[in-house]
Amino acid sequence: MGLHPLEFSECYLDSPSFRERIKAHEAELDKTNRFIKELYKDGKNLISAIKQLGMAQRKFAQCLGEFQFEYIGDAKTDDEKCIDDSLQEFSSFLKNLEEYRELMMRNITETLMKPLEKFRKEQLGSAKEERKRYEKETEKYYSSLEKLLTLSAKKKEQQLQEADLQVEGMKQHFQEESLEYVCKLQEIQERKKFECVEPMLAFFQTVFTFYHQGYELAKDFDHYKRALQINIQNTRSRFEGTRSEVVELMRKIKESPHDHRQTSPISIEGYLYVQEKRPPPFGSSWVKRYCTFVKEQKILHMITFDHRSGGKIGETESVTLKSCVQKTTDTLDRRFCFEIEITDRPGVVLTVQALSEDDRRFWMQAMGGKEPMRSFGRTYSKERGIDVQLDDVGISFLKNAISAIEKRGINDQGLYRVVGVSSKVQKLLSQMIEEKACDEVDLSTSEDWDVKTITSALKLCLRSLPEPLMTSGLYKEFIVPAKSASPESRVEAIHYLVHKLPEKNRAVLGLLMKHLASVAAHSKQNLMTVANLGVVFGPTLMRPQEETVAAIMDLKFQNIVVEILIEHQDKIFGDAPNTSSSTPAPSLTTSTRQAKKQNRQNRPLAVYNPQVQDIQGADCPNSVPDEASLGSTESVSSQSSNTSTCDTPSDKAPLTPGGTGCCQREMEQILYKKLQTYYH
């Protein structure tokens, strides 16, 4: 299990477990910082100590071999697995070079040391500064909160209001700083994968140049080197899309934090101050505790925790609730208080203080108080614009559009990536769906609609369904096989899951996959390989139920699921899987390292290639992403309109030559020329 994603919504709860996860991220960055420092020192030894080059190489190899990148989430993509294994591959290569240690190694400073040191100082250094600001704001906010809560209720109303406003401002500033810090931590965790490995790759290319006697060894390493370059570029591209999506989610939470408050339907959690009575003459004290109330069992769990005491978690106490009553300021010189009567300790009443009046209402409602208040549960809705249903009209339109695309534009370059004008796309879909004119208009012969408008309307139709075609309920189950290392188990598991879909959904999905397989078969002309189509249709066909950082991190696995559906559509949508109703989904076995390498070498990848020009011919230079977009704002056109409908950012990524319909050797030659240009 890797590092847990840091959810923005937890910045507002600031729970002990959230702080523990932040500490884990900080420790990982510290480990990376120490790793880069050690690598930098070893590199200088490699340059200055030619006579001891063999020893320096061995230590350098050991340093690489012992370090492994942590990852956010519960699984890695094939690209991330390759990057994760790359340090061990580099270590193995250095050990094989020991016989050539008498030769001089040059250019190591520019290709490896400076980029790594720049990353350490700029990225890891900025993270340390953010950490200091975050800790400072934590101290300021909780100190001011303590002062506010001890303020007498007999003060003038104006003084109380001013104090409330002052603390609310500090709270907002603290929460915004917390959001920025969480975003920065996760950004650097993702960035380091390519920022650290790419200089190493450049360094090894330099080694190949100056080690003439290592020429044969470099040839053996050449295929892995090229594959790793693709993996790094894929990871970088995914990082840009994921980062923009995370920033957008952070913006939404800043605007309406209560709408994104992640509270279970059966519980509420947050900080409360509990009054603890002491024997005379000491009176009583107020202890801050992180409390979780489970409605179903009426149990209140209380954990002692103070952010300013080193973040140590104290003992947990659990009590059973009988009733709760609001406490007035007439009997207690504190605001926001209420009393809790406990079942398992008759006669004992706990007096607790919430952080604000709204917070007190939340707790009162959750515990069965009589005060009416607004619901704190999150409701998520998405305005779909056009009312599209998976009925006869919707299916008829999809069949009509697919038939037209295959007859008129199957060879068009950038098919499904070049987008149509927004107004035309909306008009076409509205006419075919809402006016139910699908049977009257044959798109394959109609001259009123061009191919890019039809493809954009087809994708908009799929995105506008009230539920994604592959259903939200099965989303997580579809993602699990994509995280498996074995290609065979992936196909088996997805085959099983497809036949769990509703019959109508499965039929439409099969129709679409058959069409996309036909598109991929013409990839030499349209440049739309299976990998490219997976990037385009992954976010269109699959959507998580909740918009969270963890869900954003899983977006990279959607492409793999769609690729498998396209490549194996005959098997998946043919016969039903050979499993009984009591048999679970096929197990996800782990293949050998050799099998993983073979899979990595043979899989067509969607990667930026500067030798291929971006597709021209869309109708706008500045597309604005719609609600289904995953954050990319890169344009696919240089034409003259700003009203283009925008599909997912994957629709706009540069195309990959080769893939389905292009021989592997041809793709390797193209990539090899690219690497030669890059390093020389």
Side-chain angles (χ1 to χ4, degrees), residues 481-499:
K483 300 175 181 179
S484 168
S486 168
E488 295 80 9
S489 64
R490 289 179 179 178
V491 177
E492 292 174 6
I494 290 176
H495 186 193
Y496 174 85
L497 291 170
V498 163
H499 286 266

Side-chain angles (χ1 to χ4, degrees), residues 79 81-90 197 201 218-231 593 597 600-601 675:
D79 297 320
K81 291 173 185 175
C82 180
I83 289 177
D84 193 34
D85 292 339
S86 62
L87 298 183
Q88 282 71 34
E89 295 288 345
F90 295 147
V197 176
L201 185 61
K219 281 179 60 178
D220 295 338
F221 194 77
D222 195 56
H223 185 84
Y224 178 81
K225 175 194 64 176
R226 295 198 305 273
L228 181 58
Q229 178 67 30
I230 296 173
N231 297 134
R593 187 177 183 184
K597 285 188 177 183
R600 180 179 63 239
Q601 293 168 1
L675 287 171

Side-chain angles (χ1 to χ4, degrees), residues 190-201:
E190 289 293 293
R191 184 188 292 274
K192 69 179 181 181
K193 297 174 186 176
F194 51 83
E195 292 280 4
C196 291
V197 176
E198 198 166 34
M200 297 176 195
L201 185 61

Side-chain angles (χ1 to χ4, degrees), residues 163 307 338:
H307 300 82
F338 58 97

Side-chain angles (χ1 to χ4, degrees), residues 651-664:
D651 299 351
K652 305 176 199 174
L655 304 177
T656 308
T660 303
C662 177
C663 69
Q664 181 74 11

Side-chain angles (χ1 to χ4, degrees), residues 7 75 86 197 238 248 250 282 298-300 396-397 443 559 600 639:
E7 298 294 349
S86 62
V197 176
R238 292 193 187 101
E248 175 65 16
M250 183 179 68
F282 299 105
K298 291 188 176 183
I299 296 177
L300 179 66
S396 179
F397 166 70
L443 295 176
N559 310 348
R600 180 179 63 239
Q639 301 292 326

Side-chain angles (χ1 to χ4, degrees), residues 41-196:
K41 180 182 70 176
D42 294 340
K44 293 194 68 174
N45 290 337
L46 196 61
I47 296 171
S48 60
I50 301 298
K51 293 182 180 181
Q52 299 178 351
L53 184 59
M55 181 181 64
Q57 282 181 339
R58 287 190 295 272
K59 193 174 187 306
F60 191 66
Q62 181 183 1
C63 182
L64 288 173
E66 291 177 353
F67 183 82
Q68 283 189 337
F69 289 114
E70 292 292 351
Y71 55 93
I72 298 177
D74 56 358
K76 294 178 284 188
T77 63
D78 290 345
D79 297 320
E80 289 172 329
K81 291 173 185 175
C82 180
I83 289 177
D84 193 34
D85 292 339
S86 62
L87 298 183
Q88 282 71 34
E89 295 288 345
F90 295 147
S91 175
S92 175
F93 176 75
L94 271 180
K95 291 176 182 178
N96 291 330
L97 279 178
E98 288 182 8
E99 58 183 286
Y100 305 129
R101 60 178 177 267
E102 70 277 2
L103 300 177
M104 183 178 293
M105 185 175 295
R106 295 175 296 181
N107 294 344
I108 186 175
T109 301
E110 294 297 325
T111 58
L112 180 62
M113 296 297 111
K114 286 185 177 180
L116 287 179
E117 185 68 5
K118 180 180 178 182
F119 173 78
R120 187 182 70 84
K121 290 181 178 179
E122 293 182 0
Q123 298 298 327
L124 300 182
S126 64
K128 288 184 178 180
E129 293 299 321
E130 287 283 346
R131 180 178 179 178
K132 291 179 182 178
R133 285 196 294 269
Y134 178 61
E135 292 174 348
K136 182 178 179 181
E137 289 301 325
T138 299
E139 174 65 26
K140 286 174 61 179
Y141 167 63
Y142 283 105
S143 296
S144 63
L145 182 61
E146 295 248 353
K147 291 180 181 178
L148 174 71
L149 296 176
T150 56
L151 193 63
S152 173
K154 297 178 181 179
K155 296 280 186 180
K156 292 182 180 180
E157 185 64 25
Q158 183 178 359
Q159 290 178 321
L160 292 175
Q161 290 178 358
E162 289 176 355
D164 288 346
L165 289 174
Q166 183 180 8
V167 172
E168 185 63 28
M170 289 184 178
K171 176 183 178 181
Q172 184 177 359
H173 188 67
F174 162 69
Q175 290 171 344
E176 289 178 357
E177 186 63 35
S178 181
L179 288 168
E180 294 289 344
Y181 183 51
V182 165
C183 186
K184 185 69 175 177
L185 282 177
Q186 298 191 116
E187 176 184 336
I188 295 178
Q189 295 286 14
E190 289 293 293
R191 184 188 292 274
K192 69 179 181 181
K193 297 174 186 176
F194 51 83
E195 292 280 4
C196 291

Side-chain angles (χ1 to χ4, degrees), residues 103 158 200 223 254 347 362 416 438 452 459 485 508-509 513 565 595 614:
L103 300 177
Q158 183 178 359
M200 297 176 195
H223 185 84
K254 278 185 179 180
F362 280 128
Y416 284 112
C438 195
K452 62 177 177 288
K459 289 183 290 184
V508 173
L509 184 62
M513 291 303 112
L565 289 173
D614 288 349

